Amino acid sequence: MLRVLAVDDEEPALEELLYLLRADPRIRSAEGARGATEALRRIGGAVDAGPDDPSAIDVVFLDIHMAGLTGLDVAQLLAGFAAPPLIVFVTAHEGFAVHAFDLKAVDYVLKPVRRERLAEAVRRVAEQVGERSASVHDAAADQIAVELGGVIRFVPVDDIAYAEAQGDYARLHTSSGSHLVRIPLTTLEERWRSRGFVRIHRRHLVALNRIDELRLDAGSMSVRIGDAELAVSRRHTRSLRDLLMRQTGR
């Protein structure tokens, strides 16, 4: 479901565009801006607020000829944003198409706007938004954000050998050090199960492929990961042994 900002300094054209956009079931919300200055203010606020804020904007349907800054000027300015919304130009002039696509526009719709042509532009936008969301999701799955000295760093999940519960926090252990994150161990367990992490104790979640040794001593079990030796609770002993046996093909 797309969140749209339509921009045109001619009110009848803006109202007609908003009417057509709001009739499309793929549009969650469609708001209007009368000109470039208002559009940039609203887009800037939406980008600062983040993608989950109610003011977020996925795509801007942008007229080209407007008083003051043109739609091309707006697109040029948006290109400097870290995560700008997509752009569809809506114009009565054919001559700017090459420039528009140089600015990475998704589509170029000519006025008067036909419902079928606008629907095709919305389809292209929805496709790109879906691809962008999938890319962000994949990147988020591969990394975890940690804070170190007031700086946010992204640690690859593949670098994490095990995680240790510390109340509502978890300490992530890598070969280069440890990092504290405000995420419960149960959440990490659910999130990383498909990546080969298993719970061996109420305090520890480990990466199976980082286990160097499995030790048995007087009925108790522990694993060695690098220099760390971690106890395996009785409730997890059989499942861990079975997983390791399947992993080695024994």
Side-chain angles (χ1 to χ4, degrees):
M1 296 291 286
L2 301 172
R3 299 158 297 187
V4 175
L5 179 67
V7 186
D8 200 313
D9 62 349
E10 296 182 359
E11 188 168 356
L14 179 60
E15 291 302 319
E16 174 66 15
L17 180 57
L18 286 171
Y19 172 78
L20 293 173
L21 287 168
R22 288 166 180 164
D24 192 306
R26 294 165 293 187
I27 304 295
R28 179 194 301 180
S29 63
E31 304 298 330
R34 290 284 305 277
T37 300
E38 182 185 350
L40 287 170
R41 176 181 58 78
R42 295 178 66 170
I43 295 167
V47 170
D48 289 342
D52 297 325
D53 191 82
S55 67
I57 298 168
D58 297 309
V59 57
V60 181
F61 283 77
L62 185 60
D63 188 24
I64 289 182
H65 275 296
M66 296 184 290
L69 293 175
T70 69
L72 296 172
D73 294 329
V74 172
Q76 188 71 54
L77 290 168
L78 292 183
F81 284 41
L86 299 174
I87 293 174
V88 172
F89 285 105
V90 182
T91 178
H93 304 275
E94 298 183 8
F96 298 101
V98 173
H99 192 180
F101 287 114
D102 284 344
L103 291 170
K104 311 299 183 187
V106 176
D107 208 342
Y108 192 90
V109 178
L110 290 174
K111 296 178 180 178
V113 178
R114 294 182 295 108
R115 186 185 300 270
E116 297 78 8
R117 181 64 185 86
L118 188 64
E120 172 61 17
V122 172
R123 185 196 65 78
R124 293 181 184 182
V125 169
E127 188 174 86
Q128 286 206 21
V129 168
E131 290 172 357
R132 179 187 286 185
S133 297
S135 175
V136 169
H137 177 77
D138 290 344
D142 290 338
Q143 298 178 320
I144 185 167
V146 301
E147 185 176 350
L148 186 64
V151 176
I152 301 297
R153 292 181 53 210
F154 292 91
V155 175
V157 174
D158 289 343
D159 287 353
I160 298 167
Y162 67 97
E164 180 181 5
Q166 294 189 353
D168 290 334
Y169 292 74
R171 183 166 293 278
L172 312 178
H173 294 266
T174 71
S175 57
S176 59
S178 67
H179 309 279
L180 193 66
V181 294
R182 193 171 186 175
I183 305 175
L185 202 64
T186 51
T187 300
L188 294 180
E189 180 183 8
E190 294 173 6
R191 188 180 296 177
W192 293 346
R193 184 177 291 116
S194 64
R195 302 183 68 90
F197 282 78
V198 295
R199 193 73 169 261
I200 65 168
H201 192 277
R202 62 183 178 82
R203 290 192 58 202
H204 292 119
L205 178 72
V206 305
L208 271 179
N209 62 356
R210 302 295 288 272
I211 295 176
D212 298 312
E213 289 181 1
L214 182 65
R215 296 178 175 179
L216 295 169
D217 183 18
S220 64
M221 179 185 285
S222 63
V223 296
R224 184 177 64 81
I225 299 178
D227 295 331
E229 185 171 347
L230 309 175
V232 181
S233 69
R234 289 187 177 182
R235 65 174 293 204
H236 293 100
T237 295
R238 171 170 284 187
S239 60
L240 176 63
R241 184 160 45 191
D242 290 347
L243 280 170
L244 289 172
M245 291 303 177
R246 286 201 298 271
Q247 190 180 52
T248 57
R250 295 178 183 175

